Structure formats: structure tokens, C-alpha cells
Amino acid sequence: MADNRDTLDRSGPTPPAGSGGSGSDAGPTVTLPATGEVVVLATVQDALATPETVRVARGMSLFGEHAAGWLAIGAIGALVDRKRRREWLYSAGAVALAHGASIGVKRVVRRRRPEHPSVRVLVGTPSRLSFPSSHATSTTAAAVLYGGLVGRRPARVAGTATAGLMALSRLVLGVHYPSDVATGSALGAAVALGARRIISSHPDPEG
């Protein structure tokens, strides 16, 4: 039988490993030395995890959960920009595809989220799997696809900045390693660029 603990909801901040808190795992917890990624993650939190930035990061986390916020933007774009409705809908579908791809990779790799005394978990997550970051994947895909549809340079710059901030927010909240967000961003960009080539080769006949 598969171990379902990896997909259990982490409904809120949890005590770090080795703290003696109760949980579903039996036996004593052995605290391993901090790896390079843990050191980077702890450094980011020490520098940036103020109450204000944590609130913003949690808001971004909620917006990007299951790519729901980005899918909503795609639907709004389809309603507002009727001449390119199909392109918006296909782009939103590609964002969903990117998100699904990240989930698939997570289930294969099965890397656990950060668990170290120097890392604070500051938000709940829908699973305990970490690699890659689905938030980074879907946000990057949305930035590439929607930015290409809008076409204006300020919008593209804003999309790139948003993708970077989403990736950073996952470190601030202590739920991903740096390599998780880097790989998620790369995956999202790859899916989006491939989808954009397909979409551009089949323009909306109403456009």
C-alpha cells in the first residue's frame, strides 16, 4: 500500500524536525546537519521573513494554490479579449498543464519539504512533496503565456517580476528548497514556450 502521508495536508505552521512534537511518524527524529540549500533557505528567512512579507507571501500562496488564481485570470482574459478568446483559453489550459506536470514530477521524485530546526514552516501546504514547486511552475507559465498575449513590455516585465516574487515567497514561507523553485520555474517556462508555439501556429479565426 502506498504511503499516504506524503499527500496529507499540512494545515499550518509545524514544529521543526527534532523539536519533540507529536505526529504520525513513530520513533525519535534525528536532526541532520544543514545542507547548502537549508543554509540558503534559513538565510532568506532570517533576512526577509518579517510579519509584513510573510502576510504578502501567504496571500501569494493562496492565490497560486492549484494555479487557481492564474486560471481565473485566463478566464477573465477570454471574456474581455473576445478577438483572442481561444488563445486565452488555450493559454489557461497550458498553465493547468504545467501545474499538472509539476504534480506528476513530485509524485515520481517524492522529495520531502524542508524539515530542519533552522527552517520555519510559515504556511500550510496541500502535500508534503516538494520538488518541484508547483507555485513557481504555474506562475512562470502564466507570466510567459499571458505576457505574450498582452504584448506590452510593462506587462511582460510585471509578469517576470511576479514569477520571481512567487518563487522567492516559497523560500520565505519555508516550504521549498531553492532547487525546487528553480526547477519549477524552468518547467513552467518550458511548457509555456512549447504551448505558445502551438497556439501561435493556430490563431483564432475571429482575431
Side-chain angles (χ1 to χ4, degrees), residues 16-37:
S19 64
S22 60
S24 59
D25 295 331
T29 301
V30 177
T31 301
L32 298 176
T35 64
E37 288 205 275

Side-chain angles (χ1 to χ4, degrees), residues 2-207:
D3 185 356
N4 292 326
R5 290 176 296 178
D6 287 337
T7 56
L8 291 177
D9 177 61
R10 297 170 72 185
S11 58
T14 57
S19 64
S22 60
S24 59
D25 295 331
T29 301
V30 177
T31 301
L32 298 176
T35 64
E37 288 205 275
V38 169
V39 171
V40 171
L41 183 51
T43 301
V44 169
Q45 287 195 311
D46 289 342
L48 300 178
T50 65
E52 293 77 15
T53 58
V54 169
R55 279 197 295 270
V56 172
R58 285 175 175 168
M60 297 182 73
S61 180
L62 179 62
F63 180 86
E65 197 70 70
H66 305 301
W70 303 119
L71 296 178
I73 287 180
I76 292 171
L79 289 173
V80 173
D81 189 1
R82 294 186 177 182
K83 290 184 177 180
R84 293 185 297 177
R85 175 177 295 172
R86 188 169 68 175
E87 293 177 57
W88 277 101
L89 291 176
Y90 283 3
S91 294
V95 171
L97 175 63
H99 178 79
S102 72
I103 298 298
V105 175
K106 278 184 177 181
R107 292 187 178 277
V108 171
V109 176
R110 304 191 74 79
R111 184 187 199 184
R112 299 296 291 264
R113 292 187 187 271
E115 292 181 316
H116 194 273
S118 62
V119 176
R120 292 168 287 158
V121 179
L122 301 175
V123 73
T125 57
S127 86
R128 295 181 179 180
L129 302 179
S130 181
F131 182 92
S133 165
S134 295
H135 279 74
T137 302
S138 58
T139 302
T140 302
V144 172
L145 288 161
Y146 299 162
L149 283 174
V150 173
R152 298 182 181 87
R153 187 174 184 275
R156 293 196 297 271
V157 172
T160 300
T162 300
L165 289 173
M166 180 65 83
L168 182 61
S169 74
R170 308 311 285 165
L171 305 183
V172 169
L173 295 173
V175 292
H176 281 291
Y177 295 102
S179 59
D180 297 338
V181 297
T183 303
S185 297
L187 175 61
V191 173
L193 291 172
R196 194 163 69 178
R197 283 195 292 269
I198 295 173
I199 294 169
S200 61
S201 65
H202 298 81
D204 194 325
E206 296 179 6

